[in-house]
């Protein structure tokens, strides 16, 4: 009865369009009050605010957000897409492949899919249209490529998942590398197939200038070094994810200063955006931790596990149902909202069923990634449409061929958990 009251309050507040962080806080407060009274609520609130604000692991988020803001303010995305275009543009679909590869590089630095989509929309779309690429296909490639940032480290979604589940953030981040590369390879294969079947939609550029292509690498190599620093540091265990984020942010600032792409206005803008994003995420996580504690205290998760056992469902049947639920939620909700609402319950459930928590984090991230480009919400598609001024309907049609790739990669990750667990297991040794 108490669980129903807490969940009911949450649902009502969400239907009233209250921000999810405050809705979860209020619902949890009501539930905890019903469990232990006013003094219990006051004691717990003091503990949860301190545990989040004083968390060393949580410093990972502002560090990577600051790093991303420095790179975004510097205009590095245009350099990456130009260099990729000069090297690959002469191939059929080469500029599309260049967009995917540039997005993968940006993903290893930015960590935010919407930021990646916005940056690549401004940098790549004009070039693609200039050489004659189909409009729908152009925005589809840009929108789907932006989703790589949610999987390839440093992924903000995986960091939040690690904080919510108290799993190793370093292992989670490195676990996303192979699935991210596999997804990018699928995108590239799809682009080349479309270019072969419909050459009129993706014309090849007639010439290749080795000198221009070589010179274009000049502004890009610092970004590549920064990417290697982040990924190599995470995999090698040279430092904690928080320390690597701090070093990466400092290195990004130094790079932008040396290249004379950082002035006072851009620096202040980067700090302001970092502060706003960090405060938003901290508030959401506090709400999620409060609501998760309420569910744990009332044994809601254990009751759900007992009900599944009595229903006779196998672990894989439960996993299949959870994947379907996440795919549907991804069509209507923001990725962080999905995590904070569901992970406190579903992670405890799947670990009791014998599944690996890190692998499950990758599966959730993949389903959320698909939700970023599926209607009606499709946040990446909305961002791409807003920047390029292409109608939403055309953007969704452009993304459609790549959804088959997403489904295939998701199936592979479910069937072969070792794809996600190989690098984390090697880190352990």
């Amino acid at each position: 009865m108490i669980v129903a009251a807490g969940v009911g309050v949450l649902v009502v507040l969400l239907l009233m369009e209250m921000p999810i962080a405050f809705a979860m806080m209020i619902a949890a407060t009501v539930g905890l009050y019903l469990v232990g009274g006013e003094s219990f609520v006051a004691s717990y609130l003091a503990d949860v605010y301190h545990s989040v604000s004083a968390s060393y692991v949580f410093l990972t988020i502002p560090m990577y957000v600051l790093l991303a803001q420095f790179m975004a303010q510097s205009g590095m995305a245009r350099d990456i897409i130009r260099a990729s275009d000069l090297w690959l543009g002469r191939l059929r679909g080469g500029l599309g492949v260049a967009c995917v590869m540039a997005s993968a590089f940006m993903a290893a630095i930015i960590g935010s899919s919407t930021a990646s989509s916005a940056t690549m929309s401004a940098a790549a779309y004009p070039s693609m249209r200039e050489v004659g690429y189909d409009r729908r296909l152009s925005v589809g490639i840009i929108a789907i490529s932006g989703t790589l940032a949610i999987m390839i480290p440093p992924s903000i979604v995986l960091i939040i998942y690690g904080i919510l589940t108290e799993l190793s953030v370093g292992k989670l981040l490195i676990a996303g590398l192979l699935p991210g590369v596999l997804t990018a390879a699928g995108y590239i294969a799809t682009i080349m197939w479309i270019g072969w079947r419909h050459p009129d939609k993706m014309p090849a550029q007639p010439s290749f200038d080795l000198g221009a292509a070589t010179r274009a690498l000049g502004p890009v190599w610092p970004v590549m070094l920064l990417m290697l620093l982040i990924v190599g540091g995470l995999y090698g265990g040279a430092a904690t994810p928080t320390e690597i984020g701090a070093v990466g942010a400092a290195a990004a600032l130094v790079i932008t200063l040396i290249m004379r792409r950082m002035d006072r206005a851009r620096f202040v803008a980067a700090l302001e955006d970092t502060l706003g994003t960090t405060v938003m995420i901290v508030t959401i996580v506090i709400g999620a931790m409060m609501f998760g504690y309420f569910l744990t205290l009332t044994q809601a998760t254990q009751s759900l596990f007992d009900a599944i056992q009595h229903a006779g469902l196998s672990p894989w049947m439960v996993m299949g149902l959870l994947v379907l639920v996440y795919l549907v939620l991804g069509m209507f909700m923001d990725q962080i909202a999905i995590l904070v609402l569901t992970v406190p319950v579903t992670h405890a459930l799947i670990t009791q069923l014998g599944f690996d928590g890190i692998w499950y984090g990758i599966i959730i991230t993949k389903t959320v990634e698909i939700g970023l480009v599926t209607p009606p919400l499709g946040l990446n598609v909305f961002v791409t449409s807003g920047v390029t001024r292409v109608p939403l309907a055309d953007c969704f049609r452009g993304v459609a061929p790549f959804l088959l790739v997403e489904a295939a990669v998701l199936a592979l990750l479910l069937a072969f958990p070792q794809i996600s667990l190989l690098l984390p297991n090697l880190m352990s040794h």
Side-chain angles (χ1 to χ4, degrees):
M1 192 60 159
I2 293 177
V3 175
V7 174
V9 170
L10 176 62
V11 171
V12 170
L13 292 176
L14 290 176
L15 290 175
M16 293 171 62
E17 298 186 357
M18 177 177 285
I20 188 170
F22 301 114
M24 296 183 80
M25 287 181 186
I26 293 172
T29 301
V30 171
L32 292 172
Y33 177 82
L34 294 175
V35 172
E38 183 179 346
S39 59
F40 176 73
V41 173
S43 174
Y44 176 71
L45 288 179
D47 288 341
V48 71
Y49 279 102
H50 178 266
S51 64
V52 173
S53 60
S55 171
Y56 175 73
V57 175
F58 209 96
L59 285 173
T60 308
I61 291 177
M63 291 299 99
Y64 284 117
V65 172
L66 183 60
L67 187 160
Q69 289 298 328
F70 283 151
M71 300 309 294
Q73 292 289 338
S74 69
M76 288 289 184
R78 288 182 174 83
D79 295 328
I80 295 173
I81 193 66
R82 181 172 180 273
S84 301
D85 176 28
L86 288 172
W87 282 97
L88 301 171
R90 63 195 177 101
L91 304 175
R92 180 75 61 187
L95 185 52
V97 174
C99 182
V100 174
M101 295 187 68
S103 294
F105 277 114
M106 293 301 294
I109 298 170
I110 288 182
S112 167
S113 58
T114 50
S116 178
S117 292
T119 304
M120 295 307 297
S121 295
Y125 182 72
S127 300
M128 297 173 86
R129 293 294 292 149
E130 185 179 335
V131 299
Y133 270 55
D134 177 75
R135 183 177 69 169
R136 290 179 181 174
L137 189 58
S138 298
V139 291
I141 291 172
I142 292 169
I144 200 71
S145 298
T147 64
L148 293 171
I150 205 172
M151 183 69 77
I152 293 176
S155 162
I156 298 298
V157 167
L158 285 173
I159 293 172
I160 294 174
Y161 176 85
I163 292 171
L164 292 173
T165 59
E166 298 184 356
L167 292 172
S168 168
V169 171
K171 287 186 176 182
L172 278 165
L173 290 176
I174 210 66
L177 184 58
L178 289 183
V181 171
L182 180 63
T183 302
Y187 296 162
I188 289 172
T190 303
I191 290 169
M192 297 187 74
W193 182 81
I194 293 174
W196 175 67
R197 287 295 303 271
H198 305 282
D200 57 306
K201 292 186 175 183
M202 290 190 291
Q205 297 184 40
S207 61
F208 174 68
D209 187 338
L210 179 61
T214 303
R215 288 191 296 273
L217 293 176
V220 173
W221 70 263
V223 181
M224 298 178 68
L225 286 178
L226 184 57
M227 182 193 71
L228 291 174
L229 169 70
I230 294 170
V231 177
L234 288 171
Y235 179 74
T240 67
T242 304
E243 292 165 345
I244 292 170
V247 172
L253 177 59
V254 170
I255 289 171
T256 55
L257 288 172
I258 291 175
M259 298 181 71
R260 297 182 179 179
R261 296 191 178 186
M262 182 62 66
D263 54 26
R264 181 183 177 85
R266 290 176 177 174
F267 181 75
V268 171
L271 293 182
E272 288 177 346
D273 289 345
T274 299
L275 181 61
T277 301
T278 302
V279 169
M280 176 195 70
I281 295 175
V282 168
T283 308
I284 290 173
V285 170
I286 289 174
M289 292 182 71
M290 289 176 63
F291 198 74
Y293 180 69
F294 161 66
L295 293 176
T296 302
L297 198 64
T298 54
Q299 296 189 333
T301 305
Q302 185 60 44
S303 299
L304 180 61
F305 178 67
D306 292 340
I308 288 172
Q309 282 189 317
H310 290 138
L313 297 176
S314 70
W316 278 105
M317 289 176 66
V318 176
M319 177 60 72
L321 289 172
L322 287 176
V323 168
L324 288 176
V325 168
Y326 274 111
L327 287 173
V328 173
L329 288 176
M331 296 179 184
F332 299 97
M333 294 176 63
D334 174 73
Q335 63 262 36
I336 295 178
I338 293 172
L339 283 183
V340 299
L341 277 173
T342 62
V343 165
V345 175
T346 62
H347 175 260
L349 177 63
I350 63 100
T351 52
Q352 289 188 67
L353 292 172
F355 293 110
D356 186 274
I358 290 178
W359 170 73
Y360 181 63
I362 299 301
I363 296 300
I364 289 180
T365 303
K366 187 49 144 179
T367 59
V368 169
E369 176 185 297
I370 295 172
L372 286 170
V373 289
T374 49
L377 184 58
L379 192 57
N380 270 28
V381 179
F382 272 81
V383 170
T384 303
S385 173
V387 175
T388 61
R389 306 296 182 186
V390 176
L392 269 175
D394 286 346
C395 292
F396 278 117
R397 290 190 184 99
V399 166
F402 299 96
L403 294 180
L404 296 175
V405 175
E406 294 285 14
V409 173
L410 177 59
L412 286 173
L413 295 177
L414 284 166
F416 303 101
Q418 220 30 52
I419 296 175
S420 306
L421 297 177
L422 176 62
L423 293 181
N425 289 340
L426 290 175
M427 285 176 65
S428 301
H429 297 300

